[in-house]
Amino acid sequence: LFARSGITLVARLNHSFECNRQSEAVEIFRQVGIETTDYSFDDGGVPQKAVLKPFLSRMCELHESTSGGGTMAVHCIGGLGRTGVVV
């Protein structure tokens, strides 16, 4: 579904210890040519500049390198806390 939707990058906001199957998901994405990257911070918190600046830089790089054709998916565990703050 992600690859068919043109998603080329998945940005994960959760800590790896919060999802015991995260490495499996990374491998599945890799097999279909989707890059994954981590910008983790605590749920219910506010991301520090050390997390947010690289996230925004990568988003801009993706946009510029694909002439706006690349799509970034952003997720955490529930999709309400961290994702809502960043998006």
Side-chain angles (χ1 to χ4, degrees), residues 7-87:
I7 293 169
T8 57
L9 173 66
V10 174
R12 293 186 316 265
L13 305 177
N14 57 289
H15 298 286
S16 59
F17 63 80
E18 294 176 292
C19 180
N20 60 358
R21 299 184 68 194
Q22 190 156 302
S23 61
E24 293 174 37
V26 169
E27 180 58 22
I28 291 168
F29 286 132
R30 187 193 64 74
Q31 289 175 7
V32 296
I34 297 174
E35 177 187 353
T36 59
T37 189
D38 296 311
Y39 302 100
S40 58
F41 63 99
D42 293 338
D43 196 21
V46 177
Q48 296 196 4
K49 286 182 184 178
V51 171
L52 198 54
K53 285 181 81 173
F55 172 84
L56 294 173
S57 292
R58 184 63 182 105
M59 187 173 62
C60 288
E61 288 172 10
L62 178 66
H63 178 74
E64 292 170 3
S65 69
T66 59
S67 299
T71 303
M72 175 191 287
V74 180
H75 86 88
C76 56
I77 296 296
L80 301 173
R82 290 168 274 214
T83 300
V85 167
V86 172
V87 174

